Amino acid sequence: MDRRVFFRILSATSAGALTTDCGTSPGRLMPLLVPEHEIDPGEEHWHPAACTGCGAGCGTLVRVMEGLRVIEQNGEKVGERIATIKKIEGNPLDPVSGGHLCARGQAQVQSLYHPDRLRGPMKRSGNRGTGQFSAVSWAEAIAAAAERIMRVRGTDPGRIVIITGPRTGTRSLALERFAKALDAPAPVVCSIADHPLERKAATLVFGWKGLPVYDLANARFTLGVGADFLGGWASPVYYARQFGHFRQGRRDVRGRLVQAESRLSITAAAADKWLPLRPGSEPQFLAAVARLLMDAKLARNVKALPKPVADVFQAADMKALLNACGLEEKRVRAIVQDLGESEAPLVLAGASPVHTNSLDALIASHYVNLMLGNVDKPGGVLAPVTPAIAASENHRVAQALTNAQAILIDGANPAYTLPSSSDVLGALKRAESVISFGSFLDDSAAWSDLILPDHDILESESALIPAVSAGAAITVSIPFISPLYETRAVEQTLADLAAKVDVPYQAVSAEDVYRPLLAGNTTSADVARQGGLWLNPILATKAAPTLRAAAQKPELSAAAFDGDAGQYPLHFQPYLSLQHHDGSASHLPWMQELPDPASSSIWGLPVEIDSKTAAGLGVSNGDIVRVESRHGSVEAPAYIHPGAIPGVASMAIGDGHTHYGRYASGRGANPLSILAPVWEKSTGAMVFGGTRVRLTRVAGRRAWIQFAAPDREERDQHK
């Protein structure tokens, strides 16, 4: 008998994990087809793959076992024995994940089996933005998309705009080649989690290309500034592993962490001390640190500091700097003393959120590390390895959309991540053609004319360049399953479009990325079997050249904020959430059910305010408040955070999707939507920390769910 056994279904049978959302009807998550010889009853198989939950590029292992799906045969519902993915974990061979994985990575299995995942190509049947589509064949979809692209290309190829996400690898290379074939501009990155300022600062000061690598594991005393490295910054799994070693991975050594940040983030909560900075005061704080190190003769490598930079720090007014930060000089002096006297000091800085002066802060942080003598040394800041594919430096998405006539969207959601004031919806409405490669009908896909859905990452061949890695690394995923639906890899779709448009195009494969790095006896089969190619760590593979830092003077200018302080008294800080990241994981019910680390809320995200502000507004925990800027307003429950800084309102990003499946659509508020259209000048990155708001109580508590009992307690702050 055939190994696929069919039998009649006498009652309702689950075809996979059934999920609920506290009132949403259960959704059926369909299993996965694989070659039948891989179905061994009761036995498990593990296959390497890659995670695309963020730009970190973690390697994963996927557990496959026997399962069941329901199909219709001769008018009857029958069950079919198949193989299903049961679990995703980190790949222990991968130096980034080290066998570990964050919650978003483990939830990627729900993306594969999601009931709202698109089954095939779709063509718009209603007005743009309404999300009305009908199914079409791939031949019809490719022909229609090619005709639209050719029409714009024939007029002005410069008005073809390709918008992509933060990941670097086969996908970014394919899009780059496709743009070049069309004589169109290079793809533009639309992301608030791509860290262009961190890369820019490293280039300006040290001439490095890529994200600096902080050797946190071997540091003794770390001063974190603005980087929530245990939360949503850069590579949370990598730095969480580093932090574990920093704390308790060495005999008789426990690293000390002081976090200077304008929010009590996950990293700040894990620190020995937290310095609550005023928003946008990071450059002033780091200049004060540099000045104190000089005054106390603790800058052991001060001679390496370029004279123009040293003059800036020496001329800084200590009192004015610390007043701008809202910190006491005595407390800061004690911390700087400990930093300077440490055997292995480290300053770990990042821009989260981005301010108009964040680049100056990052530049200053590199000079402080230079003064401490830890650049390119164990326990210090390390130069990134030159990646096999360079990350895109084009982030001016709002500018690119201004005159766009053909917009191609892959791995990004500009209708969600760009503020309404940027006129992103107007651009999508005015464009002659909008084509999406998304696997789900999200906020931006709803404005598309055609959707050419991509495979899930577990169905795709791909190579990813990790955002942060201790050595040259490429995470590789070779498909070990058949696609569940009539989808296509974007790389293949681009090749089909190029053929239809009749332009020369070189197809992209994972081997194209990792082949140049193959050495010794390592073969392509080895790379596929282990799930990637990882070379030796940075410090073990290169001689340390004489480091020459450029004289890039930090300006130490105050951050600019949109909105009059009299009318809009609160600084507003949207931040990358642990569960939803930049909103891309909001459609996964596991992430909706994961309690928020700050408020323990589930199926909804609040705005965090301090008790003094709450008392002044007559707001109790859970009351609905209106958060209003000059550019719009949203409503959300208020969480009275015991660690919130007075005058600062913070809100996790993730909710407020107009379209993103049954679990995310119409749920909560999008804090990005009310931001000012302000961009960092040198990189074009969106300044999402530079908007002022005011709060107004509009109603009492409405069905806001908090997991922890202490967080659910009503605290009538205004009584």
Side-chain angles (χ1 to χ4, degrees):
M1 178 181 290
D2 191 294
R3 289 198 57 175
R4 290 180 178 171
V5 180
F6 295 91
F7 55 91
R8 300 181 192 280
I9 302 296
L10 302 179
S11 61
T13 305
S14 169
L18 294 182
T19 58
T20 63
D21 64 346
C22 303
T24 302
S25 59
R28 175 163 294 182
L29 307 183
M30 295 299 294
L32 176 69
L33 279 174
V34 300
E36 59 186 73
H37 66 269
E38 292 190 12
I39 307 175
D40 297 319
E43 294 187 14
E44 62 181 16
H45 296 266
W46 292 87
H47 298 267
C51 178
T52 55
C54 69
C58 292
T60 64
L61 288 179
V62 178
R63 182 182 183 221
V64 181
M65 293 190 69
E66 180 186 26
L68 171 76
R69 79 166 178 175
V70 178
I71 64 173
E72 189 168 309
Q73 186 181 52
N74 299 325
E76 292 185 287
K77 289 186 176 181
V78 298
E80 183 181 17
R81 285 183 55 235
I82 52 155
T84 58
I85 291 178
K86 298 292 187 178
K87 191 75 170 68
I88 302 178
E89 285 291 355
N91 186 342
L93 298 178
D94 171 27
V96 176
S97 69
H100 302 274
L101 207 59
C102 73
R104 289 193 308 276
Q106 295 190 4
Q108 290 299 296
V109 66
Q110 287 198 316
S111 181
L112 174 69
Y113 293 141
H114 202 291
D116 298 322
R117 190 178 158 205
L118 298 177
R119 268 57 169 172
M122 308 288 285
K123 184 177 182 179
R124 178 169 59 85
S125 58
N127 294 328
R128 282 185 185 167
T130 61
Q132 299 177 28
F133 289 85
S134 58
V136 294
S137 68
W138 271 106
E140 182 180 350
I142 293 293
E147 190 274 331
R148 290 171 179 270
I149 293 171
M150 282 191 292
R151 189 162 57 238
V152 177
R153 181 173 181 263
T155 304
D156 183 2
R159 303 183 78 174
I160 299 174
V161 174
I162 301 176
I163 301 176
T164 185
R167 292 184 293 274
T168 302
T170 47
R171 181 67 55 81
S172 63
L173 181 59
L175 290 167
E176 183 181 325
R177 289 180 179 177
F178 187 68
K180 188 175 182 179
L182 297 176
D183 297 319
V188 57
V189 176
C190 179
S191 172
I192 57 174
D194 196 36
H195 316 295
L197 292 174
E198 285 85 341
R199 291 196 294 270
K200 181 76 172 182
T203 300
L204 290 175
V205 177
F206 298 127
W208 296 344
K209 296 294 184 181
L211 278 178
V213 181
Y214 292 96
D215 190 19
L216 177 64
N218 293 310
R220 297 290 186 94
F221 188 103
T222 297
L223 175 62
V225 183
D228 182 17
F229 58 84
L230 297 179
W233 184 78
S235 185
V237 173
Y238 178 80
Y239 281 117
R241 293 176 52 236
Q242 291 264 312
F243 184 67
H245 188 83
F246 172 78
R247 282 297 205 202
Q248 55 186 18
R250 296 163 290 182
R251 184 183 295 274
D252 301 325
V253 175
R254 182 185 186 275
R256 288 187 60 205
L257 170 66
V258 175
Q259 182 75 357
E261 196 176 352
S262 55
R263 178 180 170 270
L264 185 61
S265 65
I266 296 175
T267 305
D272 298 282
K273 292 182 180 179
W274 171 47
L275 296 177
L277 295 179
R278 287 176 180 157
S281 66
E282 290 84 359
Q284 290 75 24
F285 173 72
L286 285 160
V289 170
R291 173 66 185 274
L292 288 171
L293 286 170
M294 289 177 168
D295 291 349
K297 309 295 184 186
L298 294 173
R300 61 196 74 174
N301 193 36
V302 70
K303 291 183 179 180
L305 203 62
K307 187 177 184 304
V309 178
D311 291 343
V312 170
F313 291 151
Q314 286 284 12
D317 184 335
M318 180 66 61
K319 184 176 180 180
L321 291 174
L322 293 180
N323 282 341
C325 301
L327 299 174
E328 296 179 359
E329 183 175 339
K330 181 180 179 181
R331 188 181 185 193
V332 176
R333 280 187 180 276
I335 289 170
V336 172
Q337 187 79 18
D338 291 341
L339 175 71
E341 292 177 350
S342 172
E343 296 178 25
L346 172 66
V347 175
L348 200 167
S352 54
V354 173
H355 290 283
T356 55
N357 62 354
S358 289
L359 183 61
D360 288 328
L362 295 165
I363 289 172
S365 75
H366 289 316
Y367 286 127
V368 174
N369 278 320
L370 185 65
M371 293 166 60
L372 293 170
N374 66 21
V375 179
D376 253 357
K377 294 181 180 179
V381 55
L382 311 178
V385 174
T386 302
I389 301 175
S392 174
E393 297 182 0
N394 185 3
H395 292 81
R396 303 182 188 278
V397 62
Q399 180 179 335
L401 286 173
T402 303
N403 296 309
Q405 281 301 305
I407 302 174
L408 283 65
I409 305 173
D410 174 60
N413 191 357
Y416 180 82
T417 55
L418 293 180
S420 301
S421 57
S422 68
D423 195 34
V424 57
L425 297 185
L428 292 173
K429 186 177 182 179
R430 290 189 302 269
E432 184 176 326
S433 300
V434 181
I435 301 170
S436 171
F437 299 103
S439 298
F440 292 86
L441 181 60
D442 63 16
D443 311 80
S444 299
W447 289 83
S448 301
D449 301 298
L450 291 163
I451 307 177
L452 312 178
D454 182 25
H455 286 334
D456 187 85
I457 185 62
L458 298 174
E459 302 167 332
S460 305
E461 174 183 320
S462 66
L464 297 176
I465 310 298
V468 176
S469 178
I474 301 174
T475 306
V476 176
S477 178
I478 303 299
F480 54 90
I481 55 174
S482 301
L484 188 59
Y485 303 121
E486 292 298 319
T487 56
R488 286 188 186 179
V490 170
E491 293 87 345
Q492 178 60 51
T493 301
L494 294 176
D496 295 340
L497 287 172
K500 199 73 174 177
V501 177
D502 194 23
V503 294
Y505 173 78
Q506 183 180 358
V508 178
S509 68
E511 191 171 357
D512 293 336
V513 179
Y514 67 75
R515 186 191 305 115
L517 295 180
L518 289 178
N521 296 323
T522 305
T523 65
S524 294
D526 296 329
V527 174
R529 182 171 55 254
Q530 66 188 19
L533 179 63
W534 305 289
L535 303 183
N536 292 327
I538 295 171
L539 291 175
T541 60
K542 69 175 185 178
T546 302
L547 185 68
R548 296 184 181 274
Q552 186 70 37
K553 293 194 301 182
E555 295 295 331
L556 305 185
S557 58
F561 295 93
D562 181 88
D564 179 71
Q567 297 184 56
Y568 303 96
L570 301 176
H571 294 286
F572 191 45
Q573 292 191 143
Y575 64 91
L576 297 167
S577 65
L578 182 70
Q579 56 274 58
H580 304 308
H581 196 49
D582 58 354
S584 58
S586 304
H587 64 309
L588 304 177
W590 282 355
M591 294 298 94
Q592 290 285 357
E593 291 180 347
L594 181 66
D596 175 58
S599 62
S600 80
S601 62
I602 58 177
W603 294 100
L605 295 169
V607 56
E608 304 164 10
I609 58 176
D610 64 284
S611 58
K612 183 179 179 181
T613 299
L617 297 171
V619 170
S620 297
N621 196 51
D623 285 352
I624 304 300
V625 296
R626 179 178 295 112
V627 186
E628 185 178 3
S629 74
R630 291 199 309 127
H631 307 280
S633 64
V634 295
E635 293 184 1
Y639 174 62
I640 304 174
H641 196 316
I645 300 174
V648 179
S650 302
M651 190 171 180
I653 299 166
D655 281 347
H657 292 273
T658 56
H659 295 83
Y660 204 13
R662 68 192 68 185
Y663 303 115
S665 298
R667 183 180 300 281
N670 177 12
L672 300 173
S673 65
I674 65 171
L675 299 184
V678 180
W679 322 99
E680 198 279 326
K681 292 181 180 179
S682 65
T683 62
M686 187 172 78
V687 175
F688 59 100
T691 303
R692 289 183 175 274
V693 299
R694 62 183 173 218
L695 266 62
T696 308
R697 184 184 185 276
V698 296
R701 189 178 184 117
R702 293 179 189 161
W704 180 40
I705 306 169
Q706 289 176 279
F707 182 79
D711 288 320
R712 292 196 299 269
E713 294 176 359
E714 291 289 342
R715 295 195 290 272
D716 293 328
Q717 302 289 340
H718 58 285
K719 292 184 179 179

